[in-house]
Amino acid sequence: MRILQLNVWMGKIEGNLRRFLENNDFDVICLQEVMSSENCNQHLSRLCFNATRIIKASGMPYHYFSPNWSSELANGSFELGNMILSKIPFTKKQNIFVNGEYITKFIFGRVPHNNLNVQIVELENGVVVANHHGFWRPSPLGDENSVKAFKKLAEIVEPYNDKPLIMCGDLNIEHDAPAMRALDFMHDLTYEYGVKNTISGLNFDGKVACDHILINDRLEAKNFFVHPELISDHLAISTEIRKK
């Protein structure tokens, strides 16, 4: 299985992102900061490369979108959240909030925005995939709130450790952050492959490896790769996995 991890930056880099998805072949794609709408989709699609167009470009037959919040737009509303795309059918899927809860009529700067969910899907081949956008703090080492959020994340994900388990996400912290210790029951491939940066430079300055793909002992990985294409303010990362 080829796995892709990417924060799509709300689909701001439309053409490059579309071509990247069309021209690459993955079995499972985990995305964060996906924008979607049910009642003003045509309007949203003119503003960004949204969920509908992402699904089409990927060619994936199965998809699962989990919003963190919604906001009003053009006499309707749109949502922002995480998405898992797959060539392999889902047998189970769930969404659990790690911090906070779903917010309606969200406006940046007026309400807290570290309300975060984790998606968990079980695939027909027996592999479990978790997808999460991590707790944001200015420091890539996080803080005590990061530790608390990641402890909750681990409590949600670790019960699946008896199955082949993979977790992807823009976790917003680097491997050495104290909060990451809650996930030490998995192998952080970003760290093990010596990746020092997953930020593209289009938005944030500096270098930090905040995007992660983690697997447990029931899986093995090869061909871990940081994609250089400018498709977001983050770089895409991917790997091939198989069951041991």
Side-chain angles (χ1 to χ4, degrees):
M1 293 172 54
R2 288 193 73 207
I3 310 293
L4 175 74
Q5 151 58 30
L6 175 65
N7 179 328
V8 299
W9 198 25
M10 295 171 283
K12 294 181 180 180
I13 314 298
E14 179 177 343
N16 287 1
L17 178 56
R18 174 181 56 80
R19 286 184 286 271
F20 179 84
L21 293 173
E22 289 175 343
N23 295 330
N24 283 279
D25 184 25
F26 300 101
D27 298 294
V28 174
I29 299 176
C30 291
L31 303 175
Q32 302 84 45
E33 292 193 12
V34 176
M35 296 176 71
S36 180
S37 177
E38 294 184 354
N39 52 26
C40 60
N41 186 61
Q42 184 175 2
H43 189 83
L44 183 64
S45 70
R46 295 179 68 86
L47 301 177
C48 69
F49 198 61
N50 65 343
T52 300
R53 300 170 77 185
I54 286 172
I55 293 167
K56 181 179 179 181
S58 73
M60 296 287 197
Y62 307 101
H63 49 87
Y64 178 37
F65 175 70
S66 301
N68 286 312
W69 52 259
S70 67
S71 189
E72 296 179 345
L73 175 71
N75 294 320
S77 63
F78 71 95
E79 297 178 305
L80 182 139
N82 303 327
M83 177 178 281
I84 299 176
L85 304 162
S86 178
K87 290 182 178 179
I88 305 161
F90 305 135
T91 57
K92 293 182 182 179
K93 55 187 180 181
Q94 65 173 320
N95 172 59
I96 302 171
F97 272 83
V98 169
N99 187 73
E101 59 187 9
Y102 181 85
I103 297 176
T104 60
K105 298 183 179 180
F106 175 86
I107 300 177
F108 274 108
R110 296 191 184 179
V111 294
H113 64 277
N114 263 322
N115 53 319
L116 309 163
N117 63 41
V118 57
Q119 297 179 293
I120 299 177
V121 300
E122 297 186 47
L123 303 179
E124 193 174 66
N125 64 2
V127 175
V128 177
V129 179
N131 181 30
H132 180 57
H133 192 181
F135 202 94
W136 184 86
R137 281 292 182 264
S139 170
L141 292 176
D143 61 14
E144 66 276 5
N145 292 306
S146 307
V147 172
K148 182 179 178 181
F150 273 70
K151 181 179 179 181
K152 176 71 176 297
L153 173 63
E155 289 172 353
I156 295 168
V157 174
E158 193 166 10
Y160 296 91
N161 200 32
D162 62 341
K163 301 177 180 181
L165 173 64
I166 180 169
M167 186 169 80
C168 297
D170 167 13
L171 299 185
N172 272 318
I173 53 176
E174 59 190 17
H175 178 81
D176 290 336
M180 284 292 289
R181 303 290 68 78
L183 301 176
D184 278 346
F185 62 93
M186 303 182 74
H187 300 278
D188 182 358
L189 299 180
T190 299
Y191 170 74
E192 293 185 3
Y193 277 84
V195 175
K196 302 300 182 183
N197 179 51
T198 61
I199 299 296
S200 69
L202 291 178
N203 188 21
F204 297 105
D205 295 327
K207 295 182 178 181
V208 58
C210 56
D211 295 86
H212 302 262
I213 298 178
L214 302 97
I215 62 173
N216 70 353
D217 287 333
R218 295 177 179 267
L219 294 169
E220 58 185 6
K222 65 177 183 178
N223 297 330
F224 189 94
F225 188 65
V226 180
H227 297 262
E229 292 90 340
L230 295 178
I231 54 179
S232 170
D233 61 343
H234 289 249
L235 299 172
I237 57 176
S238 67
T239 192
E240 296 178 33
I241 64 165
R242 69 177 183 178
K243 297 178 186 177
K244 289 185 177 178

